[in-house]
């Protein structure tokens, strides 16, 4: 709107506005105390509009802190939060830290991790282009499967990590990760090989690299699954 710059112009503009309002049926103004109080309240400084800012991975890590939410805390050396690109298009979710991961505080660095690294490289990606984490952040004793209670205690943090990163695809490694993400009890053999949905993100379950170390003939299946992720991410073979 153009602003009038003299008193004359201002009065002229005001008159014009009043005439216009009269044409629309306006016959006067409510100058009651109540109305004046209402109008006065409009002069208060506008409340700061709170724009929903998305939290970062650092905040999720800070909230975990020195986590004691489940019994796995008692046996851990290091909590293994996860690592990789904070805006990765692809997130690998494993089950939980093993011996080497507990020692180092980093996900997938033991024998299974080395195989996962080779799978990532076969996809023409590197570990720092993807994000790698686990369903539970602390090592279960003797590498047993995490219990539903332990998964439940850690789930909000996995969910927040995924909400921060918002990848295009998640590769769920093994039955524990696939079942936790997809909230099903179906066997991994029935889940793998096709995309499922986790909150609008495509999830490809596949066999766990530890399972591949014991059953190398299943690598072919994993390669088929991984190629589907590559196609989704438009990575040429
Ligand atoms: N197995 C997992 O599931 N996660 C790791 O980080 C390492 C081994
Ligand atoms: N069982 C699992 O838990 N994971 C696999 O990858 C295969 C069998």
């Amino acid at each position: 709107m153009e602003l009038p710059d003299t008193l004359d112009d201002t009065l002229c503009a005001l008159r014009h506005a009043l005439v216009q309002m009269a044409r629309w049926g306006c016959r006067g103004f409510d100058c009651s105390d109540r109305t004046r109080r209402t109008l006065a309240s409009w002069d208060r400084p506008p409340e700061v509009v709170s724009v929903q800012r998305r939290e970062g991975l650092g905040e999720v890590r800070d909230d975990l802190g020195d986590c004691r939410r489940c019994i796995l805390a008692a046996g851990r050396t290091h909590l293994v939060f996860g690592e990789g690109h904070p805006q990765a298009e692809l997130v690998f979710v494993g089950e939980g830290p093993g011996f080497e991961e507990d020692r180092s505080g980093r996900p997938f660095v033991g024998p299974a991790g080395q195989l996962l690294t080779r799978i990532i490289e076969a996809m023409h990606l590197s570990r720092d282009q993807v994000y790698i984490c686990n369903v539970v952040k602390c090592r279960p004793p003797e590498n047993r499967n995490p219990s539903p209670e332990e998964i439940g205690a850690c789930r909000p943090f996995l969910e927040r990590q995924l909400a921060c990163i918002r990848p295009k695809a998640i590769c769920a490694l093994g039955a524990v990760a696939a079942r936790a993400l997809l909230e099903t009890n179906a066997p991994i053999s029935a889940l793998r090989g096709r995309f499922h949905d986790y909150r609008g993100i495509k999830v490809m379950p596949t066999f766990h690299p530890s399972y591949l170390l014991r059953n190398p003939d299943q690598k072919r299946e994993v390669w088929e699954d991984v190629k589907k992720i590559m196609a989704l991410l438009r990575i040429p073979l």
Side-chain angles (χ1 to χ4, degrees):
M1 189 179 78
E2 223 173 286
L3 290 177
D5 52 8
T6 66
L7 180 60
D8 253 11
D9 289 346
T10 305
L11 291 173
C12 187
L14 185 58
R15 182 170 177 278
H16 185 78
L18 291 171
V19 167
Q20 189 62 50
M21 287 171 78
R23 285 204 194 105
W24 289 335
C26 178
R27 292 289 169 266
F29 296 96
D30 175 3
C31 297
S32 66
D33 282 350
R34 185 155 169 265
T35 291
R36 281 168 40 219
R37 277 198 304 275
T38 302
L39 294 178
S41 77
W42 293 357
D43 277 342
R44 280 201 296 260
E47 278 175 37
V48 176
V49 178
S50 72
V51 177
Q52 277 287 326
R53 190 184 62 80
R54 237 169 355 111
E55 69 176 351
L57 287 167
E59 285 165 82
V60 183
R61 179 66 191 87
D62 288 348
D63 274 359
L64 259 172
D66 184 34
C67 185
R68 304 275 153 196
R69 293 170 182 82
C70 84
I71 59 165
L72 296 183
R76 74 161 181 249
T77 314
H78 289 109
L79 187 153
V80 181
F81 181 64
E83 66 181 27
H85 200 292
Q87 276 110 40
E89 291 202 320
L90 174 59
V91 175
F92 289 89
V93 178
E95 177 176 323
F99 178 82
E100 305 270 1
E101 291 78 21
D102 175 65
R103 277 284 189 87
S104 65
R106 296 183 53 209
F108 281 98
V109 290
Q114 285 162 26
L115 178 51
L116 177 62
T117 303
R118 290 203 297 278
I119 293 169
I120 292 168
E121 286 165 357
M123 300 176 78
H124 308 307
L125 294 167
S126 63
R127 279 180 70 114
D128 38 294
Q129 285 177 299
V130 302
Y131 193 86
I132 307 174
C133 62
N134 285 297
V135 171
V136 296
K137 311 305 188 209
C138 298
R139 183 192 183 206
E142 318 300 333
N143 296 342
R144 66 160 168 76
N145 281 359
S147 70
E149 292 71 34
E150 292 152 5
I151 293 173
C154 234
R155 174 187 295 282
F157 298 95
L158 175 63
E159 289 178 351
R160 285 168 66 187
Q161 281 175 299
L162 295 170
C164 288
I165 301 167
R166 290 210 284 188
K168 284 214 179 91
I170 298 169
C171 183
L173 299 167
V176 169
R179 289 173 178 171
L181 284 169
L182 303 175
E183 304 196 72
T184 170
N185 276 320
I188 184 71
S189 54
L191 295 171
R192 61 153 288 273
R194 64 199 159 87
F195 284 112
H196 302 253
D197 175 78
Y198 167 83
R199 302 187 179 184
I201 304 170
K202 293 206 156 56
V203 178
M204 176 62 74
T206 195
F207 293 128
H208 194 287
S210 306
Y211 173 80
L212 288 188
L213 291 173
R214 301 189 302 272
N215 303 272
D217 52 320
Q218 304 282 351
K219 284 181 187 169
R220 186 183 300 274
E221 273 80 357
V222 170
W223 181 233
E224 291 305 317
D225 300 345
V226 149
K227 281 196 287 188
K228 289 176 184 159
I229 300 174
M230 290 172 74
L232 180 78
L233 301 182
R234 300 176 188 283
I235 302 170
L237 274 179

